[in-house]
């Protein structure tokens, strides 16, 4: 985060990016969306301490039936984080259809909207598994966008296949910098 900050990046939410892409909203010169998948305790305890040094929000993709409890999620919403759906139980969505698929995609969003009063306009495919039927279900549930684990920059032209760079601990600052510089 210190490297990003000193290189001119500014953390924003995915909602802010979509507002700029589709509704004339504004973004800083070098926006970056920091995302966390699944909902692990350190994502809402350790990560906010680091990000708050720069006044940056992040996006938390929560598995709504597991992982974090409401009292753990509310503080990051207070900090301006975006909380979105990562399905109800993290199944391979390409193996589901009909009501089961609809439940995983739509019920998770309904829960977040009702419980926290947040829009939850973005979805994260569990294990980055998705196909045309998955995308159709995500669109039907009213999401504005959805993220994958395909390495690359997100594009406004593919709102339901927004690429990301996965940064593991072992990648370090050098790995992060190489991803950002080598991106499309
Ligand atoms: Zn996941």
């Amino acid at each position: 985060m210190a490297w990003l900050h000193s290189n001119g990046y500014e953390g924003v939410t995915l909602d802010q990016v979509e507002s700029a892409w589709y509704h004339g909203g504004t973004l800083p010169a070098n926006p970056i969306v920091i995302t966390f998948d699944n909902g692990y305790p350190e994502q809402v305890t350790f990560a906010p301490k680091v990000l708050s040094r720069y006044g940056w929000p992040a996006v938390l993709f929560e598995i709504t039936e597991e992982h974090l409890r409401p009292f753990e999620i509310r503080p990051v919403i207070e900090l301006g984080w975006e909380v979105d759906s990562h399905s109800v139980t993290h199944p391979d969505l390409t193996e589901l259809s009909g009501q089961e698929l609809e439940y995983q995609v739509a019920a998770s969003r309904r829960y977040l909207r009702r419980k926290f009063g947040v829009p939850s306009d973005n979805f994260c495919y569990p294990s980055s598994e998705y196909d045309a039927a998955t995308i159709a279900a995500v669109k039907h549930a009213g999401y504005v966008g959805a993220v994958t684990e395909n390495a690359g920059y997100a594009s406004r032209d593919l709102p339901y296949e927004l690429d990301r760079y996965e940064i593991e601990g072992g990648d370090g600052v050098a790995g992060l910098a190489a991803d950002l510089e080598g991106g499309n």
Side-chain angles (χ1 to χ4, degrees), residues 67-84:
H67 295 273
L68 297 170
R69 288 161 290 178
F71 78 87
E72 296 173 293
I73 293 174
R74 285 198 182 93
V76 299
I77 294 174
E78 292 288 311
L79 286 172
W81 285 35
E82 176 178 330
V83 177
D84 290 320

Side-chain angles (χ1 to χ4, degrees), residues 37-38 40 61 63 86 90 124-128 149:
D37 292 9
N38 299 338
Y40 299 122
F61 288 108
I63 305 165
H86 192 28
H90 209 278
C124 176
Y125 303 110
S127 306
S128 202
E149 289 173 25

